[in-house]
Amino acid sequence: MRVLHLSDIHYSLEAKDARRGADGCGDNAHGAVAEVGDRPLSLPAAEFYPAMVDRLGDVLPAFEACLREGLAADDAGERVGAIVLTGDFVERGGAAADRAVGEAVHRVCREVLGAVVPCIVTPGNHDDRAALRAGWPGALTGLGGEPLLYTCEVAGSRLISFDTSEPGHADGYVDAERLAWLRGELETAASRGQMALVCTHHHMDPSQTDMPVLPGAEELLELLRRPGVAVLNGHTHHQAHRVYEGVEYHTADATSFQADPCDVRPAGGAPARAVRFRRLSGYNVYDVRDRRIVRACAVTYDGGDVLGDMLLG
């Protein structure tokens, strides 16, 4: 089975300075450089992020381009059988914005594959669970704002949405109840000889980013440290593929932007520490056979557009 993994769309219905993305891939495939007269932003953290989202503009064309290219890949007759979406769907706009993302997924699936394949949807720290459920009506289990925990069996694999989001906890959250549910799903997968793909938003590997890891990561990693299990996550906006603490671990790029720490010198000011945001999009593809990922490939498009520097301190 082939799995397409995308993450961190950060769609906003209200974003200004929207720009259009071109179809296809290659140079500028995910949108030409934004036609904005202002220089890249350089603001304190409290002011920077909402302004950066406005500068980012309409991110759906980039998301759709990644989705379309990932679905169209057809090596030796292998086609995508499932899509994994690991959170941070919406920045602003509530259920209407979530609906726009879900409709884009279904539309592109029908255009490329002729049918909608199973989609594993798990929320991130920017998402509202009730809005997410309302935006994907009838597609997601559970009610309102309760954790989105569910499984989907596809081609002999068990794809698990393990929700690590929690209102007021940007770094993520796990508790004994969620861990007990996941333990049961992993045991079911093992008893049926299935590969378990645990799809979650937050990261557990501190080497990926300077953002804090998921609280309770050690306990979760201990649970995941078993044969036939791999983690697919987002949150860091940087793709990664490795075995961490004995757990197979794959992170997808964002389809919106990337951020990296740097040193800057604001005009007329002293050197300062900052985080530089730039337009970037990408996706991962995995081929799953015999309870293991036999091929993992990442595709990244750097838009070359520096959105600005978020000044720290």
Side-chain angles (χ1 to χ4, degrees):
M1 176 183 65
R2 175 160 293 175
V3 176
L4 174 61
H5 178 194
L6 305 101
S7 196
D8 296 87
I9 306 162
H10 290 272
Y11 179 55
S12 174
L13 285 177
E14 304 168 12
K16 297 177 293 186
D17 302 325
R19 66 188 214 156
R20 294 183 178 180
D23 291 332
C25 295
D27 293 342
N28 293 328
H30 298 265
V33 173
E35 296 179 0
V36 181
D38 298 338
R39 292 178 298 175
L41 302 164
S42 183
L43 295 168
E47 304 170 54
F48 177 89
Y49 194 82
M52 186 278 296
V53 170
D54 287 342
R55 172 65 64 86
L56 192 61
D58 185 2
V59 296
L60 273 189
F63 170 68
E64 289 188 24
C66 287
L67 181 62
R68 187 178 304 278
E69 182 179 278
L71 290 173
D74 186 350
D75 301 332
E78 189 86 55
R79 292 184 51 161
V80 170
I83 298 170
V84 169
L85 302 164
T86 51
D88 281 0
F89 294 87
V90 166
E91 196 66 46
R92 298 194 294 256
D98 280 303
R99 187 174 298 110
V101 174
E103 289 173 349
V105 171
H106 290 176
R107 183 181 67 256
V108 174
C109 276
R110 291 190 182 100
E111 290 172 359
V112 178
L113 300 178
V116 178
V117 298
C119 298
I120 303 301
V121 174
T122 193
N125 52 291
H126 285 258
D127 295 314
D128 178 276
R129 295 181 191 132
L132 188 60
R133 284 185 167 100
W136 295 64
L140 304 180
T141 63
L143 298 173
E146 66 185 26
L148 193 56
L149 304 168
Y150 71 100
T151 63
C152 182
E153 297 183 33
V154 184
S157 294
R158 194 170 192 84
L159 284 76
I160 302 170
S161 171
F162 184 65
D163 185 355
T164 55
S165 72
E166 184 72 13
H169 296 261
D171 297 329
Y173 178 84
V174 294
D175 55 21
E177 185 176 355
R178 293 187 212 187
L179 290 172
W181 177 86
L182 179 58
R183 182 177 293 106
E185 293 300 317
L186 295 176
E187 290 172 355
T188 297
S191 69
R192 297 181 181 178
Q194 297 173 324
M195 175 80 184
L197 298 175
V198 179
C199 311
T200 191
H201 179 68
H202 292 88
H203 71 295
M204 292 166 273
D205 176 0
S207 72
Q208 285 188 272
T209 175
D210 57 354
M211 294 189 294
V213 298
L214 173 71
E218 297 86 357
E219 189 174 1
L220 179 55
L221 286 165
E222 179 65 30
L223 179 59
L224 295 167
R225 196 175 295 120
R226 60 181 73 194
V229 174
V231 174
L232 313 182
N233 76 292
H235 191 54
T236 69
H237 292 224
H238 292 76
Q239 61 90 6
H241 307 270
R242 63 177 298 194
V243 173
Y244 175 69
E245 296 290 334
V247 177
E248 185 174 359
Y249 193 100
H250 300 274
T251 308
D253 277 320
T255 64
S256 51
F257 62 87
Q258 194 171 91
D260 295 286
C262 64
D263 293 312
V264 298
R265 185 185 291 272
R273 195 64 175 163
V275 177
R276 177 158 295 169
F277 287 70
R278 57 195 176 91
R279 197 180 302 275
L280 181 143
S281 58
Y283 61 90
N284 289 353
V285 175
Y286 316 106
D287 288 339
V288 182
R289 299 189 192 95
D290 302 322
R291 297 189 70 211
R292 62 193 183 97
I293 294 176
V294 299
R295 174 178 175 267
C297 126
V299 176
T300 301
Y301 292 97
D302 188 339
D305 180 6
V306 175
L307 300 163
D309 297 328
M310 182 173 70
L311 303 178
L312 305 176

